[in-house]
Each structure stands twice: as structure tokens, then as C-alpha cells.
Amino acid sequence: MSIAKIVGRLGLLLALCMVMGAGAVFAQVTADRQFPPNTKQGVLDMSTYPTIKMNGYERRLSPSSRIYSVTNLIVTPATLLGSSFVVNYTENQFKDIDKVWILTQSEKAKGPPNSTSQVMPPLAN
């Protein structure tokens, strides 16, 4: 087998892998995400980061917090400076926000994920 045939077949294999990988990414974008049962919904305001606001109340992100974009990729808080988003979020045992999902248009249209989605003000220190 000549070098040209090997390179051609490797190129074809690489192109096929790229097409299949791109299809998987599009499938993730269109699939609705599943949220934990204790998920709440609110408006995340990143205009005063590192202090954040959730529905107008000052809140804290936990040290191990994760923010997921509409494509379900983890984003850093610094990339969201000056923006506001409708999000679903969970809290840890200290009432710090530990997971945040920026919602897609279809997820926003569905409304809060469960009946316990009421946003409570932060606990007094």
C-alpha cells in the first residue's frame, strides 16, 4: 500500500470523525437538560462580579461552583461580566449557589423546573 493511499484513508477517517463529532455537539444543544429536584429558577446578574445578584438579592457563588452555558459547557464567571441571564440553579448546605445553568429559549418557556422554585432572600448573618 502506497503512502498516498494511507494518507488519503487517514484523511477520510479524520473527516468522518469530525462530521460525527459535530453531530454529537448539535444533538447536545437540541436535547433538553435534566435538572436536579432541588433546582430553583432566577435571574443571575453578573454586573458586579465577584458579588453576584440572584433576583436582586446579593448572593455568593460557592468555591466549587460551576456555571453551564446554553451548550452545557462550563464557563468561567469572568466571561459573563456585565450580563444578566435567566438561569436554573442549586444551592449547597450553606445557601451558596453551587451550580448554575444558563437557560435556552425552550427551557425558559417551560418555566421553573418544580414547585419549590421560589427564590428566598439570603439568610441573615
PDB file of all heavy atoms in Angstrom, residues 94-121:
ATOM      1  N   PHE A  94     -24.803  25.607  52.768  1.00  0.00           N
ATOM      2  CA  PHE A  94     -24.558  26.933  53.339  1.00  0.00           C
ATOM      3  C   PHE A  94     -25.339  28.025  52.612  1.00  0.00           C
ATOM      4  O   PHE A  94     -25.117  29.201  52.826  1.00  0.00           O
ATOM      5  CB  PHE A  94     -23.055  27.255  53.299  1.00  0.00           C
ATOM      6  CG  PHE A  94     -22.217  26.219  53.978  1.00  0.00           C
ATOM      7  CD1 PHE A  94     -21.398  25.384  53.242  1.00  0.00           C
ATOM      8  CD2 PHE A  94     -22.266  26.058  55.353  1.00  0.00           C
ATOM      9  CE1 PHE A  94     -20.634  24.416  53.863  1.00  0.00           C
ATOM     10  CE2 PHE A  94     -21.504  25.094  55.980  1.00  0.00           C
ATOM     11  CZ  PHE A  94     -20.682  24.257  55.237  1.00  0.00           C
ATOM     12  N   LYS A  95     -26.242  27.630  51.713  1.00  0.00           N
ATOM     13  CA  LYS A  95     -27.075  28.529  50.907  1.00  0.00           C
ATOM     14  C   LYS A  95     -26.261  29.334  49.891  1.00  0.00           C
ATOM     15  O   LYS A  95     -26.718  30.346  49.383  1.00  0.00           O
ATOM     16  CB  LYS A  95     -27.921  29.466  51.772  1.00  0.00           C
ATOM     17  CG  LYS A  95     -28.892  28.740  52.671  1.00  0.00           C
ATOM     18  CD  LYS A  95     -29.909  27.992  51.849  1.00  0.00           C
ATOM     19  CE  LYS A  95     -30.917  27.280  52.742  1.00  0.00           C
ATOM     20  NZ  LYS A  95     -31.773  26.395  51.997  1.00  0.00           N
ATOM     21  N   ASP A  96     -25.034  28.876  49.592  1.00  0.00           N
ATOM     22  CA  ASP A  96     -24.261  29.459  48.491  1.00  0.00           C
ATOM     23  C   ASP A  96     -24.707  28.768  47.204  1.00  0.00           C
ATOM     24  O   ASP A  96     -25.093  27.597  47.210  1.00  0.00           O
ATOM     25  CB  ASP A  96     -22.765  29.230  48.685  1.00  0.00           C
ATOM     26  CG  ASP A  96     -22.198  29.997  49.862  1.00  0.00           C
ATOM     27  OD1 ASP A  96     -22.789  31.022  50.251  1.00  0.00           O
ATOM     28  OD2 ASP A  96     -21.160  29.568  50.401  1.00  0.00           O
ATOM     29  N   ILE A  97     -24.621  29.476  46.106  1.00  0.00           N
ATOM     30  CA  ILE A  97     -25.017  28.918  44.812  1.00  0.00           C
ATOM     31  C   ILE A  97     -23.879  28.048  44.299  1.00  0.00           C
ATOM     32  O   ILE A  97     -22.752  28.512  44.171  1.00  0.00           O
ATOM     33  CB  ILE A  97     -25.366  30.049  43.829  1.00  0.00           C
ATOM     34  CG1 ILE A  97     -26.574  30.821  44.375  1.00  0.00           C
ATOM     35  CG2 ILE A  97     -25.628  29.497  42.444  1.00  0.00           C
ATOM     36  CD1 ILE A  97     -26.896  32.072  43.627  1.00  0.00           C
ATOM     37  N   ASP A  98     -24.187  26.776  44.022  1.00  0.00           N
ATOM     38  CA  ASP A  98     -23.103  25.889  43.596  1.00  0.00           C
ATOM     39  C   ASP A  98     -23.180  25.440  42.140  1.00  0.00           C
ATOM     40  O   ASP A  98     -22.167  25.193  41.529  1.00  0.00           O
ATOM     41  CB  ASP A  98     -22.965  24.686  44.525  1.00  0.00           C
ATOM     42  CG  ASP A  98     -24.171  23.782  44.559  1.00  0.00           C
ATOM     43  OD1 ASP A  98     -25.212  24.146  43.996  1.00  0.00           O
ATOM     44  OD2 ASP A  98     -24.068  22.704  45.164  1.00  0.00           O
ATOM     45  N   LYS A  99     -24.363  25.351  41.559  1.00  0.00           N
ATOM     46  CA  LYS A  99     -24.475  25.015  40.139  1.00  0.00           C
ATOM     47  C   LYS A  99     -25.462  25.964  39.482  1.00  0.00           C
ATOM     48  O   LYS A  99     -26.516  26.252  40.025  1.00  0.00           O
ATOM     49  CB  LYS A  99     -24.934  23.572  39.953  1.00  0.00           C
ATOM     50  CG  LYS A  99     -23.875  22.560  40.331  1.00  0.00           C
ATOM     51  CD  LYS A  99     -24.307  21.168  39.944  1.00  0.00           C
ATOM     52  CE  LYS A  99     -23.257  20.164  40.300  1.00  0.00           C
ATOM     53  NZ  LYS A  99     -23.181  19.856  41.704  1.00  0.00           N
ATOM     54  N   VAL A 100     -25.090  26.445  38.290  1.00  0.00           N
ATOM     55  CA  VAL A 100     -25.926  27.381  37.540  1.00  0.00           C
ATOM     56  C   VAL A 100     -25.983  26.898  36.099  1.00  0.00           C
ATOM     57  O   VAL A 100     -24.960  26.550  35.514  1.00  0.00           O
ATOM     58  CB  VAL A 100     -25.329  28.814  37.578  1.00  0.00           C
ATOM     59  CG1 VAL A 100     -26.146  29.757  36.720  1.00  0.00           C
ATOM     60  CG2 VAL A 100     -25.216  29.325  38.999  1.00  0.00           C
ATOM     61  N   TRP A 101     -27.199  26.855  35.553  1.00  0.00           N
ATOM     62  CA  TRP A 101     -27.395  26.518  34.144  1.00  0.00           C
ATOM     63  C   TRP A 101     -28.041  27.713  33.463  1.00  0.00           C
ATOM     64  O   TRP A 101     -29.161  28.097  33.803  1.00  0.00           O
ATOM     65  CB  TRP A 101     -28.315  25.309  33.984  1.00  0.00           C
ATOM     66  CG  TRP A 101     -27.752  24.031  34.512  1.00  0.00           C
ATOM     67  CD1 TRP A 101     -27.020  23.119  33.834  1.00  0.00           C
ATOM     68  CD2 TRP A 101     -27.913  23.514  35.839  1.00  0.00           C
ATOM     69  NE1 TRP A 101     -26.703  22.066  34.659  1.00  0.00           N
ATOM     70  CE2 TRP A 101     -27.242  22.290  35.895  1.00  0.00           C
ATOM     71  CE3 TRP A 101     -28.560  23.977  36.994  1.00  0.00           C
ATOM     72  CZ2 TRP A 101     -27.192  21.509  37.044  1.00  0.00           C
ATOM     73  CZ3 TRP A 101     -28.513  23.207  38.148  1.00  0.00           C
ATOM     74  CH2 TRP A 101     -27.835  21.991  38.159  1.00  0.00           C
ATOM     75  N   ILE A 102     -27.341  28.323  32.494  1.00  0.00           N
ATOM     76  CA  ILE A 102     -27.942  29.391  31.691  1.00  0.00           C
ATOM     77  C   ILE A 102     -28.937  28.720  30.753  1.00  0.00           C
ATOM     78  O   ILE A 102     -28.605  27.762  30.059  1.00  0.00           O
ATOM     79  CB  ILE A 102     -26.861  30.173  30.912  1.00  0.00           C
ATOM     80  CG1 ILE A 102     -25.877  30.810  31.897  1.00  0.00           C
ATOM     81  CG2 ILE A 102     -27.505  31.212  30.013  1.00  0.00           C
ATOM     82  CD1 ILE A 102     -24.669  31.455  31.249  1.00  0.00           C
ATOM     83  N   LEU A 103     -30.173  29.214  30.760  1.00  0.00           N
ATOM     84  CA  LEU A 103     -31.253  28.522  30.057  1.00  0.00           C
ATOM     85  C   LEU A 103     -31.347  28.892  28.579  1.00  0.00           C
ATOM     86  O   LEU A 103     -31.112  30.035  28.201  1.00  0.00           O
ATOM     87  CB  LEU A 103     -32.591  28.816  30.732  1.00  0.00           C
ATOM     88  CG  LEU A 103     -32.705  28.373  32.187  1.00  0.00           C
ATOM     89  CD1 LEU A 103     -34.080  28.713  32.724  1.00  0.00           C
ATOM     90  CD2 LEU A 103     -32.409  26.900  32.345  1.00  0.00           C
ATOM     91  N   THR A 104     -31.730  27.916  27.785  1.00  0.00           N
ATOM     92  CA  THR A 104     -32.038  28.142  26.373  1.00  0.00           C
ATOM     93  C   THR A 104     -33.446  28.722  26.286  1.00  0.00           C
ATOM     94  O   THR A 104     -34.189  28.735  27.271  1.00  0.00           O
ATOM     95  CB  THR A 104     -31.983  26.825  25.582  1.00  0.00           C
ATOM     96  OG1 THR A 104     -33.000  25.957  26.077  1.00  0.00           O
ATOM     97  CG2 THR A 104     -30.624  26.152  25.690  1.00  0.00           C
ATOM     98  N   GLN A 105     -33.847  29.161  25.098  1.00  0.00           N
ATOM     99  CA  GLN A 105     -35.188  29.709  24.912  1.00  0.00           C
ATOM    100  C   GLN A 105     -36.268  28.670  25.237  1.00  0.00           C
ATOM    101  O   GLN A 105     -37.271  28.985  25.870  1.00  0.00           O
ATOM    102  CB  GLN A 105     -35.365  30.236  23.484  1.00  0.00           C
ATOM    103  CG  GLN A 105     -34.531  31.455  23.172  1.00  0.00           C
ATOM    104  CD  GLN A 105     -34.904  32.645  24.042  1.00  0.00           C
ATOM    105  OE1 GLN A 105     -36.038  32.820  24.445  1.00  0.00           O
ATOM    106  NE2 GLN A 105     -33.911  33.475  24.345  1.00  0.00           N
ATOM    107  N   SER A 106     -36.060  27.424  24.821  1.00  0.00           N
ATOM    108  CA  SER A 106     -37.073  26.390  25.094  1.00  0.00           C
ATOM    109  C   SER A 106     -37.147  26.071  26.581  1.00  0.00           C
ATOM    110  O   SER A 106     -38.225  25.793  27.105  1.00  0.00           O
ATOM    111  CB  SER A 106     -36.797  25.133  24.279  1.00  0.00           C
ATOM    112  OG  SER A 106     -35.591  24.529  24.682  1.00  0.00           O
ATOM    113  N   GLU A 107     -36.013  26.099  27.281  1.00  0.00           N
ATOM    114  CA  GLU A 107     -36.019  25.843  28.722  1.00  0.00           C
ATOM    115  C   GLU A 107     -36.684  26.989  29.481  1.00  0.00           C
ATOM    116  O   GLU A 107     -37.394  26.753  30.462  1.00  0.00           O
ATOM    117  CB  GLU A 107     -34.595  25.622  29.232  1.00  0.00           C
ATOM    118  CG  GLU A 107     -33.988  24.316  28.752  1.00  0.00           C
ATOM    119  CD  GLU A 107     -32.500  24.202  29.015  1.00  0.00           C
ATOM    120  OE1 GLU A 107     -31.825  25.242  29.199  1.00  0.00           O
ATOM    121  OE2 GLU A 107     -32.007  23.065  29.021  1.00  0.00           O
ATOM    122  N   LYS A 108     -36.491  28.224  29.007  1.00  0.00           N
ATOM    123  CA  LYS A 108     -37.161  29.375  29.636  1.00  0.00           C
ATOM    124  C   LYS A 108     -38.671  29.256  29.479  1.00  0.00           C
ATOM    125  O   LYS A 108     -39.427  29.563  30.393  1.00  0.00           O
ATOM    126  CB  LYS A 108     -36.707  30.684  28.991  1.00  0.00           C
ATOM    127  CG  LYS A 108     -35.316  31.102  29.311  1.00  0.00           C
ATOM    128  CD  LYS A 108     -35.008  32.400  28.579  1.00  0.00           C
ATOM    129  CE  LYS A 108     -33.535  32.640  28.487  1.00  0.00           C
ATOM    130  NZ  LYS A 108     -33.215  33.836  27.696  1.00  0.00           N
ATOM    131  N   ALA A 109     -39.116  28.806  28.312  1.00  0.00           N
ATOM    132  CA  ALA A 109     -40.548  28.705  28.039  1.00  0.00           C
ATOM    133  C   ALA A 109     -41.227  27.675  28.930  1.00  0.00           C
ATOM    134  O   ALA A 109     -42.417  27.798  29.219  1.00  0.00           O
ATOM    135  CB  ALA A 109     -40.764  28.349  26.569  1.00  0.00           C
ATOM    136  N   LYS A 110     -40.495  26.673  29.377  1.00  0.00           N
ATOM    137  CA  LYS A 110     -41.070  25.640  30.248  1.00  0.00           C
ATOM    138  C   LYS A 110     -41.352  26.156  31.654  1.00  0.00           C
ATOM    139  O   LYS A 110     -42.134  25.560  32.373  1.00  0.00           O
ATOM    140  CB  LYS A 110     -40.130  24.441  30.338  1.00  0.00           C
ATOM    141  CG  LYS A 110     -40.081  23.629  29.083  1.00  0.00           C
ATOM    142  CD  LYS A 110     -39.184  22.441  29.279  1.00  0.00           C
ATOM    143  CE  LYS A 110     -39.133  21.610  28.024  1.00  0.00           C
ATOM    144  NZ  LYS A 110     -38.262  20.461  28.167  1.00  0.00           N
ATOM    145  N   GLY A 111     -40.679  27.226  32.068  1.00  0.00           N
ATOM    146  CA  GLY A 111     -40.884  27.750  33.410  1.00  0.00           C
ATOM    147  C   GLY A 111     -40.028  27.037  34.436  1.00  0.00           C
ATOM    148  O   GLY A 111     -39.164  26.228  34.100  1.00  0.00           O
ATOM    149  N   PRO A 112     -40.277  27.312  35.719  1.00  0.00           N
ATOM    150  CA  PRO A 112     -39.487  26.681  36.788  1.00  0.00           C
ATOM    151  C   PRO A 112     -39.580  25.159  36.745  1.00  0.00           C
ATOM    152  O   PRO A 112     -40.628  24.611  36.400  1.00  0.00           O
ATOM    153  CB  PRO A 112     -40.117  27.230  38.069  1.00  0.00           C
ATOM    154  CG  PRO A 112     -40.794  28.486  37.663  1.00  0.00           C
ATOM    155  CD  PRO A 112     -41.245  28.267  36.240  1.00  0.00           C
ATOM    156  N   PRO A 113     -38.493  24.474  37.100  1.00  0.00           N
ATOM    157  CA  PRO A 113     -38.474  23.015  36.988  1.00  0.00           C
ATOM    158  C   PRO A 113     -39.378  22.279  37.968  1.00  0.00           C
ATOM    159  O   PRO A 113     -39.757  21.160  37.731  1.00  0.00           O
ATOM    160  CB  PRO A 113     -37.016  22.648  37.227  1.00  0.00           C
ATOM    161  CG  PRO A 113     -36.420  23.823  37.895  1.00  0.00           C
ATOM    162  CD  PRO A 113     -37.222  25.013  37.506  1.00  0.00           C
ATOM    163  N   ASN A 114     -39.724  22.894  39.109  1.00  0.00           N
ATOM    164  CA  ASN A 114     -40.607  22.221  40.064  1.00  0.00           C
ATOM    165  C   ASN A 114     -41.298  23.259  40.939  1.00  0.00           C
ATOM    166  O   ASN A 114     -41.056  24.448  40.826  1.00  0.00           O
ATOM    167  CB  ASN A 114     -39.824  21.209  40.919  1.00  0.00           C
ATOM    168  CG  ASN A 114     -38.670  21.855  41.647  1.00  0.00           C
ATOM    169  OD1 ASN A 114     -38.812  22.925  42.225  1.00  0.00           O
ATOM    170  ND2 ASN A 114     -37.512  21.232  41.610  1.00  0.00           N
ATOM    171  N   SER A 115     -42.136  22.814  41.811  1.00  0.00           N
ATOM    172  CA  SER A 115     -42.950  23.736  42.613  1.00  0.00           C
ATOM    173  C   SER A 115     -42.165  24.419  43.720  1.00  0.00           C
ATOM    174  O   SER A 115     -42.641  25.369  44.312  1.00  0.00           O
ATOM    175  CB  SER A 115     -44.135  22.987  43.217  1.00  0.00           C
ATOM    176  OG  SER A 115     -43.668  21.956  44.053  1.00  0.00           O
ATOM    177  N   THR A 116     -40.958  23.968  44.026  1.00  0.00           N
ATOM    178  CA  THR A 116     -40.163  24.594  45.084  1.00  0.00           C
ATOM    179  C   THR A 116     -39.197  25.617  44.508  1.00  0.00           C
ATOM    180  O   THR A 116     -38.162  25.877  45.078  1.00  0.00           O
ATOM    181  CB  THR A 116     -39.366  23.537  45.868  1.00  0.00           C
ATOM    182  OG1 THR A 116     -38.477  22.886  44.955  1.00  0.00           O
ATOM    183  CG2 THR A 116     -40.283  22.535  46.530  1.00  0.00           C
ATOM    184  N   SER A 117     -39.535  26.217  43.381  1.00  0.00           N
ATOM    185  CA  SER A 117     -38.634  27.125  42.692  1.00  0.00           C
ATOM    186  C   SER A 117     -38.697  28.556  43.203  1.00  0.00           C
ATOM    187  O   SER A 117     -38.164  29.449  42.588  1.00  0.00           O
ATOM    188  CB  SER A 117     -38.925  27.118  41.195  1.00  0.00           C
ATOM    189  OG  SER A 117     -38.678  25.868  40.675  1.00  0.00           O
ATOM    190  N   GLN A 118     -39.366  28.792  44.290  1.00  0.00           N
ATOM    191  CA  GLN A 118     -39.448  30.142  44.818  1.00  0.00           C
ATOM    192  C   GLN A 118     -38.079  30.587  45.299  1.00  0.00           C
ATOM    193  O   GLN A 118     -37.391  29.865  46.006  1.00  0.00           O
ATOM    194  CB  GLN A 118     -40.444  30.211  45.983  1.00  0.00           C
ATOM    195  CG  GLN A 118     -41.851  29.807  45.570  1.00  0.00           C
ATOM    196  CD  GLN A 118     -42.407  30.695  44.471  1.00  0.00           C
ATOM    197  OE1 GLN A 118     -42.215  31.884  44.484  1.00  0.00           O
ATOM    198  NE2 GLN A 118     -43.084  30.080  43.535  1.00  0.00           N
ATOM    199  N   VAL A 119     -37.675  31.796  44.939  1.00  0.00           N
ATOM    200  CA  VAL A 119     -36.382  32.322  45.345  1.00  0.00           C
ATOM    201  C   VAL A 119     -36.547  32.964  46.709  1.00  0.00           C
ATOM    202  O   VAL A 119     -37.385  33.825  46.912  1.00  0.00           O
ATOM    203  CB  VAL A 119     -35.851  33.344  44.327  1.00  0.00           C
ATOM    204  CG1 VAL A 119     -34.572  33.959  44.806  1.00  0.00           C
ATOM    205  CG2 VAL A 119     -35.664  32.678  42.985  1.00  0.00           C
ATOM    206  N   MET A 120     -35.772  32.512  47.653  1.00  0.00           N
ATOM    207  CA  MET A 120     -35.829  33.035  49.005  1.00  0.00           C
ATOM    208  C   MET A 120     -34.693  34.030  49.200  1.00  0.00           C
ATOM    209  O   MET A 120     -33.609  33.873  48.652  1.00  0.00           O
ATOM    210  CB  MET A 120     -35.675  31.900  50.020  1.00  0.00           C
ATOM    211  CG  MET A 120     -36.739  30.814  49.866  1.00  0.00           C
ATOM    212  SD  MET A 120     -38.418  31.428  50.042  1.00  0.00           S
ATOM    213  CE  MET A 120     -38.436  31.807  51.755  1.00  0.00           C
ATOM    214  N   PRO A 121     -34.888  35.086  50.000  1.00  0.00           N
ATOM    215  CA  PRO A 121     -33.807  36.006  50.290  1.00  0.00           C
ATOM    216  C   PRO A 121     -32.706  35.292  51.051  1.00  0.00           C
ATOM    217  O   PRO A 121     -32.949  34.267  51.705  1.00  0.00           O
ATOM    218  CB  PRO A 121     -34.462  37.098  51.144  1.00  0.00           C
ATOM    219  CG  PRO A 121     -35.770  36.561  51.551  1.00  0.00           C
ATOM    220  CD  PRO A 121     -36.125  35.431  50.663  1.00  0.00           C
TER     221      PRO A 121
END
